Amino acid sequence: MKAFIFDLDGVIVFTDKFHYQAWKKMADGMGIYFDEKINNRLRGVSRVESLEIILERYEGEPLSAERKAELMEEKNNTYRKLLSTMTPADVTDEVRNTLKELHERGCKLAIGSSSKNAKFILEKVELLDAFDAISDGNNITHSKPDPEVFSKAGEFLGEKPDNCIVVEDAYAGIDAAKAAGMTAVGIGDAFGYDKADVKIQTFSELLKLAE
């Protein structure tokens, strides 16, 4: 039996546009320049780290911890409003069918995501029941490339690292998987990352790893 741990955004669903729109609204309100190139630096990192990256271009008075917390909450409120528009149609048939087939083959499935909104997203797209465990931003203190989110996902599944296969689209996620002692599968942007143990172009190629 194999255990698959999936990053959420960029692998199962695609909410990058919502993150960008939410951070952009917050940055514009602060008079901070923010574009898609800067947004790409936020992929796979925590909300706190994302804010600090955006604030690199901030030229005003130093912000208190309380003000930073307010800005993160503002961003998240905007993001959740955008997420609320998601439907089951936001998950491809290929992803749904592959997850179903993996389960039928006896594989354990988990989510390993830095997002604190992982369960909310999965509920909106009606995929919550597709996973045996969820490790997300609500149960970790360190975000990728730290291995914590994947290590905990493996623990939740009751599996040792060498039996876990992590599917990631971000370099930081591949690094986290390797640090956790797990097999790292690169898809999307991570397809070209040389540290990935396996590289796939389509989600359904995962079935080959479960044979």
Side-chain angles (χ1 to χ4, degrees), residues 8-123:
L8 181 59
D9 195 19
V11 176
I12 303 297
V13 297
F14 295 86
T15 65
D16 270 3
K17 60 182 179 182
F18 297 147
H19 277 296
Y20 175 67
Q21 291 167 17
W23 281 124
K24 176 73 172 165
K25 182 179 179 182
M26 186 225 74
D28 287 349
M30 293 287 290
I32 303 170
Y33 179 78
F34 184 67
D35 60 18
E36 293 187 11
K37 184 176 180 179
I38 298 172
N39 187 64
N40 285 339
R41 293 176 57 197
L42 313 185
R43 299 185 65 232
V45 305
S46 70
R47 198 179 302 170
V48 173
E49 291 173 284
S50 294
L51 178 63
E52 292 301 329
I53 290 172
I54 293 171
L55 291 178
E56 289 173 0
R57 291 174 175 264
Y58 175 64
E59 299 178 348
E61 293 294 319
L63 301 177
S64 66
E66 292 77 10
R67 180 56 179 148
K68 289 181 180 180
E70 289 175 359
L71 292 173
M72 288 187 286
E73 186 65 19
E74 175 188 325
K75 180 267 176 181
N76 193 50
N77 288 339
T78 301
Y79 178 59
R80 283 181 68 90
K81 287 180 182 177
L82 293 169
L83 288 180
S84 67
T85 66
M86 295 186 75
T87 70
D90 287 302
V91 176
T92 66
D93 288 340
E94 180 184 17
V95 168
R96 286 188 189 278
N97 293 336
T98 300
L99 293 174
K100 184 172 181 287
E101 179 65 24
L102 288 173
H103 247 157
E104 290 175 349
R105 293 187 186 185
C107 298
K108 294 182 181 179
L109 309 180
I111 288 291
S113 170
S114 299
S115 174
K116 292 186 176 182
N117 295 297
K119 290 183 180 178
F120 179 69
I121 293 170
L122 291 172
E123 287 173 352

Side-chain angles (χ1 to χ4, degrees), residues 118-175:
K119 290 183 180 178
F120 179 69
I121 293 170
L122 291 172
E123 287 173 352
K124 295 300 296 184
V125 299
E126 297 182 6
L127 265 185
L128 190 60
D129 293 337
F131 299 95
D132 303 297
I134 295 174
S135 177
D136 62 17
N138 294 298
N139 62 251
I140 61 172
T141 54
H142 305 289
S143 61
K144 305 167 190 175
D146 189 278
E148 184 182 17
V149 69
F150 294 139
S151 295
K152 288 198 172 182
E155 290 173 13
F156 294 161
L157 291 175
E159 294 292 336
K160 294 181 179 180
D162 59 7
N163 197 43
C164 294
I165 299 171
V166 173
V167 186
E168 262 285 356
D169 74 312
Y171 283 30
I174 296 294
D175 290 341

